[in-house]
Amino acid sequence: MANVLHIVVCAGIVPDPLQTLEPVTGPAGPGLKNEMVLPAVLDPWAASALYEAAALAAKNPGSKLWLVSLGPKAKLQQVMMTVAQKIAFELVPIDGPIGGFPDAHSTAAVLAETIAALPGLDKAKLLLFGGWESATRGAGVTLQLVGERLGIIDQFQGVDQIDLRDDGSFEVLERVEGGKHQVSVCAGTPAVLGWATGNLAEPRNNPQTGMANMRTIMPALQKAKPTTLAPNGLRYVSVALPKQQRTTRVVKDLTPDEIAAELVEWIGAE
Amino acid sequence: MGTVALSETKTMLTLPGDAVRQIQWRFADRFDLQMLVQSARGVARGTVARLVAAGERNTHEWTPAKSEMLEAFDRAGLTAVFMEPEEGGFITGPKNLALALAAFELAWVDGGAATASLAGFLALSPIHERGTQEQITHYKTLAAPPQPGEDRKPWRGAFVLTEPIPYVGVDTGMLNGKMRVAEWKDGEEPWLQVDKRGRFITNIAFANFVTAAVNSDDPRIKGSCFVILEETDEGIFDHGTPTKKLVHQLSSTGDPIFNLKVPASRIVGGYTVKDGVIVPNFNHGEVIEAVFRRTRVPVGVMTAAKLLSAVEPVIRYQRERFRGAEGTKPGTVRYEQGIQQREDALHRLVDVWAAGEAATSLGFAAARLFDTLDPLEKQKSAILKDRGIQGGRAEMKALKESEQRAIELLSNPDAPRRAELEADPLVDFVLKDAEANVICPATKLWNTGHGANMMREAVSLMGGYGITEDCPGFLANKWMDAQLEATYEGPEAVQRRQLTVTMTSEVFLAQFRAWTIAMRRIASDRPGTGACTLASAMQLWLWTLNYLQKATDPGGNKLYHGQRQGVTFALADALCWLLASRCQILDVLELEARGADDPVAAEGLAGTVQFLSDLCHTQAAQAAGEVSRICGELVFGYNQHPAWADEAHKGCFLASELEEYEETMPGITAFAVDVLAADGAHPPKAGPCAGCAGASEFLRLQNKLTTCLSGSRLAKDRAAETVSKVMIPEALDYPA
């Protein structure tokens, strides 16, 4: 028996990972050099959450799917030209600042307030999805904070799978150490699920889906109200990119067994 | 803090992104096209790039892997671009810009992939342009990708015109396909026997149907037509052997053979029976004209895309050239800038980039023009039909008056009837039609021809690496591919021939004059764009055209004549440079005017506009140089050079005369070039210097043009500096 779900996916936009990312200090604090003009993508882990949400909604007729995203609406619009072709959803844009440095509490407050005000949203049926943290940046706590503000106490992080049961309960697989999953059963919605990669491939583009989505996305973007995020006294002492590590050795004539043994030893050391 | 502080700058920050391009190429308000771009880009930099990197270009045969590319086109909606929403598509209205954008994205990675995509549309184009409504609906629906829940394979088509086998004495104007009446029972539809051999036919390996041009070989059928052949028709539908192309291996090309029996309802556009004779409603020439007029534009855009695609890999190569070398330590100029320390490397890349910008601007301007022209053309036909006028010649005759009204509108901006003329759809049609008749062949000719030359330059900028399979961006492939793009859908001579006719149309020339004036106005506000240089070059070209149309050679033969391609083709080439440069300038002005409205484009807008303006100036100077060279050669090249032995030497000074003159006009000796000694000895040169009788105005204009080049090299220096500083991604977004 299908359950009617109200799935809200929180997903930010980030610079395309192939771009040159160079931390700089601007008038508003730390940021990435030229971030506004760098091509952006939907945060990869949050994108996994979106695709899982779409699959779940499709399996449960009558369900609704919202994508709540905070960022400059012009950048959101550019990203939607790709994302909107993949699955059907209703975009709820929040015209806010770009970057990975705003305070997570302020961000969560805006997101929670927006979600709570979604017309037609039944919080009893709510599954709040997002990336368990940003795949490229972020405090790793925003989604949890949104859940807390919405009063949702069942939270799962590093999720790779959800199996909904007929009675409305669901089984969740969360990543734990050692490449294993922790299996939990939740009695039912509402719940927060911070996704890892999930199991689904990225849906292919379908311009007709995109055209249908755009009928609501473009007006929503036009109506998106500018939002500022309170700094809450947040101050960054230092910002740096992770150092690139390359310890290449050129070794010839190793057997596959020797290579495997070395890899196992290296993984063990990590 | 571990970061550096940002400083205020007017240098372009990054390579121009989507927000900038959407404004320049005028689809910022078209989200359907923006989505198409993203879809096409995904296929190009995903499926297509992987095929190229995996060596799929190394075979002439159509392989299962290559077929996957077609399926990727289907899934991404590229196959449906040509269709209306009710036929399975998603774009409403004219689709010329859409097709050009898809071709641009695919050709960014591989020209063959773009060709494979376009060839399907080419097969449908005769049906789309001239087919009956029943034919349009039937074949476009079959060719549309399956909708969700549908289980069928889309039909693929090929366009089979005629490519006579070389060296067998066949005129390229002849059709090698024949049709006869196979069966015609009283009161029933006739059946035709079609016999056709195609050569170099794109998409043929997997075609389920073809649209083939055939001539009548039967007195019961009049003239020629296009006919639709299906692979399940009775008879032979042989896909033929693959052509051993050295380029575009991701598109299928072969030499098919057809001998099929088909109903006469397959004649594209239908037919009527008059006095027992089948008369096709459209002959094959009418169909081709309608088809090629539009489909040639995306081909030009393809080569333009390659030039722009070369910029990022070349910059990365130049900057990283010496990294890893012993003695080249991080932080040193050699490490950080690599080859970009050298002005030559930067200047040459600026030339490639500028040519790419101009070619792209020209191509997309042409595509947009056809989007505007398509509905106008229908409106024109409807108006004339209401007046009882139908058919090519009758329409041309009827539009003569509209042409005069259009010229009046352009020549006299203060005309009392201005509002009336502007509101006249027929005037609007003849204006746009005249422009399209020039800009389409110009795009095909200049983008592919000059584009191929500049791709060679791009390859050279990668050193030996450029000519290897490992070269990022597949630049060597793109260079060779460009040569095919210059050839198919009408080789360069065909485009030049068309231009020599259309560029002398009164309506076009009236527009050209108006454009020249507009360029001067632009130059007044935006002197850094090279608009003034361009306006001077346009003036020189126009003067030369007028001169050549009246001038004769020493033998009394007209210079501007259809058979005198040494004159007409050269002048057509010169015009293309001007048109491309003009479109490039207009696109930058558009960005400057509208960029601030888009928060993404607005970021660093001043720097982007400055850089793109500098590219305009650089390109305008190149165009001016080409025009000056070509026009100078044409104006003076057909004059006989004076010889010492002929009458002309009588105009020379004698040494003794000069001595006398020197007494009354001191210094005159210094100005006298051709001086004969008493014994008749003369300076060691071909003859007395030629005069400029009748061409002094040309020299004035050319002299002015030369001085108009002022500042162009400063612009190039600025552009070069930006190229050395602009931020590029860490890696190319498709595999090599």
Side-chain angles (χ1 to χ4, degrees):
Chain A
M1 197 180 78
N3 297 286
V4 173
L5 302 170
H6 284 186
I7 311 175
V8 176
V9 180
C10 295
I13 55 173
V14 296
D16 184 316
L18 285 177
Q19 298 298 320
T20 301
L21 307 178
E22 189 180 332
V24 289
T25 304
L32 290 176
K33 187 177 177 184
N34 302 330
E35 181 161 4
M36 191 63 181
V37 281
L38 295 179
V41 295
L42 203 64
D43 188 89
W45 266 322
S48 300
L50 181 64
Y51 308 144
E52 293 282 349
L56 197 58
K59 279 187 216 159
N60 293 277
S63 298
K64 285 195 71 175
L65 173 58
W66 289 268
L67 171 64
V68 179
S69 191
L70 189 156
K73 64 179 179 182
K75 296 294 287 183
L76 284 173
Q77 183 177 328
Q78 295 284 344
V79 173
M80 285 306 122
M81 293 306 156
T82 304
V83 176
Q85 295 191 58
K86 297 183 181 298
I87 51 168
F89 60 84
E90 186 179 323
L91 176 71
V92 183
I94 306 167
D95 189 13
I98 196 165
F101 299 98
D103 177 56
H105 289 267
S106 305
T107 305
V110 171
L111 290 173
E113 192 182 317
T114 305
I115 293 165
L118 283 177
L121 177 74
D122 183 347
K123 269 172 70 176
K125 297 175 184 169
L126 176 60
L127 281 178
L128 181 64
F129 279 19
W132 65 329
E133 59 178 328
S134 166
T136 57
R137 61 189 181 188
V141 296
T142 311
L143 189 67
Q144 294 90 319
L145 291 170
V146 176
E148 292 293 334
R149 283 177 173 271
L150 291 171
I152 305 172
I153 52 170
D154 290 325
Q155 299 207 5
F156 305 89
Q157 297 300 327
V159 175
D160 270 335
Q161 192 171 311
I162 177 171
D163 288 316
L164 204 62
R165 296 171 173 172
D166 289 349
D167 62 359
S169 66
F170 51 86
E171 183 182 283
V172 179
L173 265 58
E174 290 172 280
R175 287 187 183 183
V176 290
E177 294 297 315
K180 294 179 180 173
H181 283 105
Q182 170 177 291
V183 182
S184 309
V185 176
C186 185
T189 53
V192 174
L193 278 78
W195 283 83
T197 55
N199 296 311
L200 298 178
E202 182 175 328
R204 289 174 173 130
N205 283 4
N206 181 342
Q208 285 181 328
T209 302
M211 290 297 284
N213 274 334
M214 280 299 163
R215 288 189 195 106
T216 57
I217 287 176
M218 294 305 286
L221 283 165
Q222 279 161 6
K223 281 189 271 183
K225 286 181 185 161
T227 305
T228 50
L229 298 175
N232 284 345
L234 179 70
R235 192 173 65 85
Y236 287 88
V237 177
S238 175
V239 175
L241 287 176
K243 284 218 170 74
Q244 189 178 29
Q245 291 186 23
R246 182 174 288 173
T247 49
T248 308
R249 284 187 299 129
V250 179
V251 184
K252 291 180 180 172
D253 305 329
L254 273 184
T255 66
D257 285 347
E258 287 170 319
I259 295 169
E262 192 172 327
L263 281 172
V264 168
E265 186 188 343
W266 177 76
I267 291 166
E270 288 289 303
Chain B
M1 296 217 17
T3 61
V4 294
L6 276 181
S7 59
E8 282 289 318
T9 176
K10 279 196 176 178
T11 302
M12 186 167 73
L13 305 172
T14 61
L15 301 177
D18 284 331
V20 168
R21 294 312 197 184
Q22 286 160 10
I23 295 169
Q24 278 187 284
W25 302 333
R26 327 291 162 85
F27 62 104
D29 57 347
R30 292 279 305 270
F31 58 78
D32 51 348
L33 298 184
Q34 292 173 32
M35 285 195 297
L36 170 66
V37 165
Q38 297 303 327
S39 267
R41 190 175 296 170
V43 174
R45 302 182 197 194
T47 307
V48 172
R50 283 195 295 274
L51 286 175
V52 179
E56 276 298 313
R57 285 180 58 121
N58 297 336
T59 169
H60 301 298
E61 280 72 29
W62 193 250
T63 63
K66 291 179 188 178
S67 284
E68 283 175 21
M69 181 181 73
L70 300 180
E71 286 158 25
F73 289 167
D74 295 343
R75 289 191 299 264
L78 300 187
T79 315
V81 171
F82 198 66
M83 284 70 173
E84 294 297 324
E86 61 272 20
E87 296 158 348
F90 61 99
I91 296 173
T92 309
K95 295 165 183 66
N96 300 284
L97 181 57
L99 294 177
L101 285 166
F104 180 90
E105 288 298 332
L106 292 170
W108 188 276
V109 175
D110 187 80
T115 300
S117 169
L118 289 174
F121 308 140
L122 188 60
L124 285 167
S125 285
I127 302 170
H128 173 77
E129 295 295 337
R130 294 286 183 255
T132 63
Q133 191 52 52
E134 194 182 0
Q135 289 169 339
I136 292 171
T137 307
H138 181 66
Y139 287 100
K140 285 174 86 176
T141 307
L142 282 173
Q147 298 300 303
E150 268 190 299
D151 182 21
R152 64 173 175 84
K153 291 206 164 207
W155 275 34
R156 317 277 183 201
F159 179 74
V160 186
L161 180 57
T162 177
E163 284 286 353
I165 297 168
Y167 313 122
V168 294
V170 180
D171 185 335
T172 50
M174 285 175 62
L175 288 178
N176 56 6
K178 300 288 182 196
M179 62 177 167
R180 300 182 60 79
V181 174
E183 198 178 312
W184 195 349
K185 292 179 184 165
D186 275 350
E188 290 184 16
E189 182 167 51
W191 283 76
L192 310 174
Q193 188 66 37
V194 176
D195 184 15
K196 171 92 182 173
R197 282 172 179 246
R199 185 164 166 83
F200 299 157
I201 303 304
T202 310
N203 272 13
I204 195 62
F206 47 81
N208 307 105
F209 73 99
V210 302
T211 40
V214 286
N215 254 333
S216 168
D217 190 30
D218 191 318
R220 288 172 293 174
I221 309 172
K222 186 181 176 188
S224 66
C225 69
F226 262 84
V227 64
I228 305 164
L229 308 175
E230 298 179 5
E231 63 180 344
T232 51
D233 287 331
E234 181 186 335
I236 297 167
F237 189 113
D238 183 346
H239 295 81
T241 52
T243 306
K244 293 182 177 173
K245 289 176 298 180
L246 293 171
V247 295
H248 276 217
Q249 292 92 342
L250 290 191
S251 74
S252 148
T253 309
D255 303 346
I257 300 167
F258 308 102
N259 193 318
L260 299 162
K261 189 176 165 185
V262 299
S265 59
R266 297 279 188 78
I267 292 173
V268 173
Y271 63 94
T272 46
V273 177
K274 283 184 188 164
D275 303 326
V277 174
I278 298 168
V279 183
N281 291 340
F282 298 101
N283 66 40
H284 89 281
E286 288 168 319
V287 176
I288 291 169
E289 189 191 344
V291 169
F292 276 167
R293 205 170 172 218
R294 288 159 176 81
T295 56
R296 281 171 176 159
V297 172
V299 181
V301 171
M302 282 165 54
T303 319
K306 294 165 186 202
L307 292 174
L308 292 183
S309 81
V311 169
E312 185 191 322
V314 170
I315 291 179
R316 186 174 296 107
Y317 169 79
Q318 289 180 333
R319 288 185 188 167
E320 298 178 2
R321 177 67 181 83
F322 303 123
R323 292 183 192 175
E326 206 169 320
T328 305
K329 304 294 179 202
T332 62
V333 176
R334 191 172 166 78
Y335 181 94
E336 300 298 337
Q337 293 185 7
I339 298 174
Q340 292 204 333
Q341 297 170 80
R342 307 289 174 220
E343 184 179 85
D344 177 65
L346 293 168
H347 275 199
R348 285 178 188 279
L349 181 55
V350 165
D351 285 337
V352 171
W353 197 336
E357 293 288 339
T360 313
S361 292
L362 178 64
F364 284 134
R368 290 194 304 270
L369 179 64
F370 279 109
D371 272 358
T372 320
L373 187 61
D374 281 358
L376 263 180
E377 198 165 17
K378 289 188 175 80
Q379 195 180 0
K380 174 262 308 181
S381 298
I383 292 170
L384 294 181
K385 192 177 174 187
D386 282 349
R387 294 179 189 172
I389 301 164
Q390 269 181 297
R393 287 191 179 173
E395 286 194 359
M396 275 174 64
K397 199 175 164 189
L399 287 173
K400 284 285 175 202
E401 190 204 334
S402 299
E403 287 174 10
Q404 291 309 312
R405 286 160 65 85
I407 292 167
E408 181 189 340
L409 175 65
L410 290 168
S411 318
N412 184 5
D414 302 321
R417 299 200 296 164
R418 184 174 183 82
E420 177 200 331
L421 295 173
E422 280 179 336
D424 184 344
L426 292 184
V427 168
D428 199 12
F429 169 76
V430 294
L431 282 171
K432 291 195 166 60
D433 191 50
E435 185 183 350
N437 284 336
V438 171
I439 201 170
C440 171
T443 299
K444 176 69 169 59
L445 174 64
W446 191 82
N447 281 19
T448 58
H450 183 59
N453 295 341
M454 294 312 284
M455 268 315 299
R456 193 211 67 81
E457 187 77 6
V459 168
S460 78
L461 292 176
M462 300 287 268
Y465 201 23
I467 205 71
T468 68
E469 284 187 4
D470 299 329
C471 175
F474 312 126
L475 298 193
N477 290 344
K478 288 172 181 171
W479 170 34
M480 284 186 70
D481 284 351
Q483 184 53 46
L484 179 55
E485 285 140 31
T487 303
Y488 70 31
E489 287 205 40
E492 286 160 297
V494 171
Q495 310 309 321
R496 290 189 175 107
R497 171 81 186 122
Q498 187 181 338
L499 276 167
T500 60
V501 176
T502 57
M503 73 187 187
T504 54
S505 120
E506 278 185 59
V507 179
F508 172 72
L509 291 175
Q511 289 185 89
F512 189 81
R513 285 185 201 97
W515 293 347
T516 309
I517 294 167
M519 275 296 135
R520 289 270 187 237
R521 288 203 189 109
I522 289 168
S524 168
D525 294 335
R526 301 282 181 276
T529 54
C532 218
T533 315
L534 188 64
S536 296
M538 290 167 85
Q539 261 186 308
L540 187 73
W541 181 87
L542 192 59
W543 188 94
T544 305
L545 175 68
N546 288 332
Y547 171 84
L548 293 172
Q549 284 182 314
K550 295 174 200 133
T552 56
D553 65 13
N557 302 310
K558 280 185 73 175
L559 288 181
Y560 200 93
H561 186 276
Q563 299 302 320
R564 199 133 201 184
Q565 288 120 20
V567 176
T568 55
F569 281 18
L571 213 50
D573 285 338
L575 175 64
C576 293
W577 282 88
L578 299 172
L579 297 176
S581 191
R582 172 179 174 267
C583 290
Q584 185 184 8
I585 291 170
L586 294 179
D587 279 359
V588 175
L589 293 182
E590 180 77 7
L591 176 66
E592 188 178 30
R594 302 192 185 281
D597 297 339
D598 182 306
V600 180
E603 187 85 1
L605 181 65
T608 305
V609 168
Q610 178 65 59
F611 173 72
L612 293 175
S613 297
D614 287 336
L615 290 188
C616 287
H617 206 159
T618 301
Q619 188 62 28
Q622 292 248 9
E626 283 296 314
V627 169
S628 178
R629 178 184 64 77
I630 291 170
C631 292
E633 211 175 310
L634 293 176
V635 169
F636 292 103
Y638 287 97
N639 294 340
Q640 197 76 51
H641 195 289
W644 296 114
D646 63 26
E647 288 291 301
H649 88 276
K650 289 180 179 168
C652 298
F653 289 108
L654 294 173
S656 52
E657 284 175 333
L658 273 182
E659 282 171 20
E660 285 176 29
Y661 293 154
E662 190 67 32
E663 289 175 11
T664 51
M665 292 178 276
I668 189 173
T669 310
F671 293 97
V673 181
D674 300 324
V675 182
L676 297 179
D679 62 354
H682 55 72
K685 57 197 185 97
C689 285
C692 59
S696 57
E697 178 62 7
F698 177 87
L699 290 178
R700 188 187 71 76
L701 291 171
Q702 194 182 41
N703 195 32
K704 176 179 163 58
L705 175 59
T706 305
T707 54
C708 280
L709 295 174
S710 304
S712 61
R713 283 278 164 168
L714 295 174
K716 193 172 199 174
D717 279 347
R718 274 195 304 274
E721 192 182 351
T722 300
V723 168
S724 73
K725 289 179 178 166
V726 69
M727 193 165 109
I728 62 168
E730 286 290 311
L732 204 59
D733 60 355
Y734 55 98

